[in-house]
Every structure is written in C-alpha cells, then in structure tokens.
Amino acid sequence: MSDQTLSVCRRFRRTTTKVISTMQCTRLGLKVCTSKKTRQSMGMTGKVDGCALFWRRTKFHLIESYSIEFNELAQRQVTTVMGLNPRSEEGASILNKLSKDNVAQLVVLELAQQSMASRTNRDPINQVCIANTHLYSNKDCPDVKLWQTLHLLQELETFVMARGTNLPLMICGDFNSTPESAVYDLLSRQAVHPGHPDVNTGEENGPNVLPDVMSITHSHMLGSVYSSVLGEEPKFTNYTQQFKGVLDYMWYSTQNLRSLSAAPIPDESVLTRHGDALPSTQYSSDHIMQISDMQIVGGGAR
C-alpha cells in the first residue's frame, strides 16, 4: 500500500466567515458532524457553542460518529461510581461543580480508496478515529478540566479498544490548559505528579472531584503535533487582550500515526497588524488555526 496522509485543521476558519452553512459545505466538498453544548448549566437563554468536525467527501467515508456529554458522565460518576443520591447535599455539590455543559465528539473515518470499494472486512489501519472537544474555560477550576480530560480519555480507551488496538487516534481541541497544567501532563505523560497544584486545589475550591492521583492515568501513547514537529509548543494559540498563550493542541497516537508537518503560527507582528489582539478583521477567531499533515503507519501500511 502506498503512503497514506491526512491533513488536519484543528480550527476551521475562513478569513471573513464565521458560520458555514450546509450548502457551503456541499459546495466545498465537505461533510460535517456537529455536537452542541448542553444547556443544563447555562439555561435556555444566551448563545451556545459546540464542536464540529469537517472532512472531504472524496477523501473519507464516515463509519461512526458519537457525542460525549460531560454532564452525563458527571451524573454517572455521582450515582454509579460514588453511589450518591444526586439530590443529597454532597451529590448536588459535586454535580454542580462538574456540570458545565461541555461536550466532545468523535468520528471514525475510513480512507476512500479504490481497493476498498466492497467496504467489507474493513482493516482498522485504513481508518482513523478523530476526537474533538472544548473544555471548561474557568482558569480557577483546573481540577474540573483535569476531570473532563481523564473521562474523555477513558471513554476513548473503551471506544478504541473495542475496535482493535490498531485504530489510529487524534484528539484535537481547545483544552483551556497551558503546557504547565495537569491536563497537559496527563495527555503527554499518561499521569500527573502527586504534587501538581492542579490536583491539590484545597477546600476553598469546592468538593474534591478527582480520584486518587495515582489513578489519574490512561493507556494512550500520545504525542503533541506541534511539540513533535517543532520541538516545543508554539508561543501562543490564543491571543487576546487578557491572555496570550497556548490552550489548543492536536494529539495523536504515536504507535500508528506520524506527524509530517505543522503550519507555523504567525508572528505577533502579523497578528497585530489589524488590531492589538484577536479577533480582528483579518482573523475571525481569537484562537489561531493549527494545521498538520499526518501519516498513518504500521500494520504494513506505510
């Protein structure tokens, strides 16, 4: 089999367009899966965002798609794992802390190849699982973001293992966490140091929602695209008046994916050409688009 590459954009953005319609997707040759944030925490008023995954119809076939609601995982943790009544004081306190309406989505895409026209006996090496998420944004709640990341990884573990260990995996998103965070440690090192401040937040931060730190782990062997290609994370992926730093990442399973390239992040002089911060007339988002070419490897498919 010849080399197989896929191009991944963490954030789909056009210079002058913030909304893409179904008609535009068709015209551009794209298919899309969307997952809207739940409204349990915020109520029915105001705007609501979510996650979206786009792919070219000529390059991939959609095999599976799922949404993950962190509110639902929190309910399961309180009732099933902890054995608490969600209406009790302790149960309600934990649910209130964890129910932030964030979601994740995942799709399994299959490479559209002539040799796979029969679409039977699919080989997982010709498929890729891509997950996308937007974690809780409050900087004062690193434990909530760590809890969300841990449970996302656990859900993906169950999902991938059920389909064979050879299924390549990418996890993309706005993790609202810097490279110094416990979230980054968990994704990159499969564990968190017991002394990390994000797992020792204190009683003033509300009830403890994390398991014992030695249980905060996962089995995915993940690499960060930008760190792998450039040798370090970029200086920033989010550029606002209040914050300039890295919050967004593309992670990939190192045993069956290889990162071939990473698009450079524009210099500050470029980003501030049309204003002091983002968004601006040139950049429609306060986050900077990340792009990488990925190669599926292993299993004889190179």
Side-chain angles (χ1 to χ4, degrees):
M1 182 180 292
S2 61
D3 286 2
Q4 300 295 342
T5 61
L6 57 150
S7 190
V8 180
C9 294
R10 203 215 64 76
R11 183 170 293 270
F12 189 94
R13 177 186 59 80
R14 298 185 70 194
T15 302
T16 58
T17 306
K18 288 187 179 179
V19 178
I20 271 198
S21 66
T22 303
M23 186 179 298
Q24 284 174 309
C25 281
T26 302
R27 191 163 59 243
L28 292 168
L30 300 174
K31 296 276 284 184
V32 61
C33 273
T34 60
S35 296
K36 187 170 66 172
K37 285 176 68 173
T38 52
R39 286 183 173 269
Q40 179 180 330
S41 175
M42 67 178 292
M44 296 305 294
T45 59
K47 65 180 180 179
V48 62
D49 57 26
C51 299
L53 279 163
F54 298 83
W55 65 92
R56 290 204 176 277
R57 291 177 294 173
T58 57
K59 298 293 185 182
F60 299 99
H61 301 298
L62 176 66
I63 303 302
E64 299 179 73
S65 66
Y66 296 96
S67 292
I68 297 171
E69 297 183 359
F70 290 109
N71 284 9
E72 185 179 310
L73 297 183
Q75 186 79 23
R76 186 196 309 170
Q77 161 120 350
V78 168
T79 57
T80 305
V81 178
M82 303 179 72
L84 297 174
N85 184 334
R87 296 181 179 177
S88 68
E89 183 177 353
E90 184 180 4
S93 178
I94 293 173
L95 277 177
N96 183 60
K97 182 170 181 176
L98 291 178
S99 299
K100 303 303 180 185
D101 294 330
N102 299 94
V103 296
Q105 59 177 169
L106 63 92
V107 300
V108 176
L109 299 176
E110 184 175 77
L111 296 168
Q113 295 180 6
Q114 198 71 27
S115 61
M116 300 176 66
S118 64
R119 301 181 58 70
T120 58
N121 191 28
R122 297 187 182 96
D123 183 355
I125 208 63
N126 290 322
Q127 299 177 357
V128 60
C129 176
I130 302 179
N132 183 28
T133 192
H134 185 183
L135 300 188
Y136 188 43
S137 60
N138 192 327
K139 64 180 179 59
D140 296 323
C141 297
D143 53 338
V144 173
K145 286 177 269 197
L146 181 59
W147 181 91
Q148 291 177 334
T149 303
L150 174 63
H151 282 263
L152 172 60
L153 291 166
Q154 289 175 344
E155 290 291 306
L156 289 171
E157 234 168 25
T158 302
F159 182 87
V160 170
M161 290 297 290
R163 286 151 186 82
T165 56
N166 255 352
L167 182 63
L169 171 67
M170 289 202 71
I171 310 173
C172 309
D174 177 357
F175 291 83
N176 275 307
S177 304
T178 67
E180 296 75 37
S181 67
V183 165
Y184 190 93
D185 277 0
L186 179 59
L187 286 160
S188 61
R189 296 176 47 246
Q190 300 176 286
V192 178
H193 192 281
H196 199 291
D198 289 355
V199 296
N200 298 280
T201 55
E203 294 182 1
E204 66 277 3
N205 201 38
N208 176 43
V209 295
L210 296 172
D212 179 81
V213 68
M214 302 307 293
S215 300
I216 303 177
T217 185
H218 64 93
S219 62
H220 302 290
M221 298 287 291
L222 299 174
S224 166
V225 165
Y226 274 73
S227 180
S228 298
V229 174
L230 305 179
E232 60 182 359
E233 296 296 347
K235 188 176 179 181
F236 40 72
T237 63
N238 182 230
Y239 198 89
T240 67
Q241 293 281 12
Q242 295 78 28
F243 176 85
K244 296 174 179 64
V246 179
L247 299 177
D248 311 271
Y249 308 93
M250 294 190 292
W251 300 91
Y252 66 97
S253 52
T254 56
Q255 73 271 26
N256 43 34
L257 284 173
R258 180 182 299 142
S259 182
L260 302 180
S261 66
I265 300 296
D267 293 333
E268 287 188 82
S269 60
V270 176
L271 295 178
T272 56
R273 194 172 293 164
H274 299 273
D276 294 335
L278 304 185
S280 67
T281 55
Q282 180 67 24
Y283 295 92
S284 60
S285 173
D286 59 327
H287 292 258
I288 300 160
M289 182 161 61
Q290 294 174 277
I291 306 173
S292 176
D293 287 318
M294 305 296 298
Q295 182 183 43
I296 299 175
V297 298
R302 284 241 187 255

